Amino acid sequence: MTRPWRFGVGIQAARRQKSVQDWARRVEDMGYDIVHVPDHLYAPAPFPMMTAMATATERLRVGTFVLNAGFYRPALLAREAATLRDLSGGRLDLGLGAGYVKEEFEQAELAFPSPGRRVAWLGHVTGHIRKHVPDVPVLIAGNGDKLLTLAAQRADIIGLTGGAPITGDHDPLADRIAFVRAAAGERFADLELNLSVTAMPVAGSGRPDLSIPRRFLPGLSDEQILATPAVLSGSTRDMADTIRRYRDEYGITYITVQQPHAEAFAKVIAELR
């Protein structure tokens, strides 16, 4: 049975209570299911932000996309998650990642382990959360083999990056999903697949602003970036058709967009529902 659609939007800025809560209510009214908060050292702290938005809304879920597991001790993180779960009436999704910005570890006066050790720590944190806060859905996002293996075996939701171009003879997104399927085994049928959209048209031109994906894909040309699954192009109907294709071909039913895309993508949500 096909999963129902879920749509999320990531908040990138807003520090005052009224602006945060007004925006959350607006997002809820636009039809989004969840609002995501990032976890970077000089951005607003995730849990106070999520608490402010959860207490201002009735249906909207809140989540992290994604917490840097290296910043947290498992028992302390479980306490934060359990408290917000209770305050929100169970509307928390906990997104976790291994952390990748060396400078943030250094500025937080934390060691920056090797990739393998960061994934191992993520596994340790995830195991504690699953044991002590089992009713909070866990999302793990990433692209590497070790991280996706961990996600396939322990997460409820897999966050796929979609950051490589699809060509006539190569589909990296399909390859990653096949890898997850093999690593998950019988669990795969219970996993929810998420794709984070990093660029889409917002002004009616049909052509997306590529400024966000360029920061993460500096080695790719504009044409190559446009060929990545994380970039949507065309009219509202074109984008809705693309999202339907992602569901039909890949099994992806959970789409996340960025704050600048919220208004434009709300029209896509209406087309899909």
Side-chain angles (χ1 to χ4, degrees), residues 6-166:
R6 277 219 297 166
F7 301 106
V9 58
I11 187 169
Q12 296 177 345
R15 293 174 183 266
R16 296 187 179 181
Q17 180 183 4
K18 186 176 187 305
S19 61
V20 169
Q21 293 186 323
D22 286 350
W23 188 79
R25 285 188 283 263
R26 174 65 178 143
V27 163
E28 185 174 53
D29 290 343
M30 284 192 283
Y32 286 92
D33 300 290
I34 184 167
V35 60
H36 289 134
V37 179
D39 185 25
H40 291 290
L41 191 58
Y42 294 107
F47 282 94
M49 287 283 286
M50 290 189 291
T51 301
M53 292 187 287
T55 55
T57 54
E58 296 180 0
R59 176 190 57 82
L60 191 71
R61 297 184 71 82
V62 295
T64 48
F65 203 94
V66 289
L67 288 183
N68 177 352
F71 285 174
Y72 299 90
R73 294 294 177 183
L76 300 180
L77 178 57
R79 180 180 66 171
E80 297 281 350
T83 302
L84 182 50
R85 173 203 61 197
D86 295 343
L87 290 174
S88 67
R91 289 182 287 138
L92 171 65
D93 287 8
L94 191 66
L96 299 170
Y100 64 93
V101 183
K102 180 180 180 182
E103 291 75 15
E104 290 189 358
F105 280 81
E106 293 172 344
Q107 290 162 5
E109 299 184 35
L110 295 169
F112 184 63
S114 67
R117 291 182 65 187
R118 295 201 304 276
V119 172
W121 181 256
L122 172 60
H124 176 57
V125 172
T126 302
H128 188 94
I129 294 295
R130 298 316 307 256
K131 180 178 179 180
H132 294 279
V133 203
D135 53 345
V136 172
V138 171
L139 175 149
I140 294 180
N143 194 58
D145 287 358
K146 290 183 179 179
L147 191 144
L148 285 180
T149 297
L150 171 64
Q153 295 173 351
R154 299 196 186 179
D156 302 292
I157 309 157
I158 311 292
L160 301 159
T161 63
I166 294 174

Side-chain angles (χ1 to χ4, degrees), residues 199-201 206-208 210 226 231-240 242:
M200 61 170 286
R207 188 171 178 87
L210 300 181
L226 287 167
V231 175
L232 300 177
S233 302
S235 67
T236 296
R237 178 165 291 183
D238 292 335
M239 290 185 281
T242 298

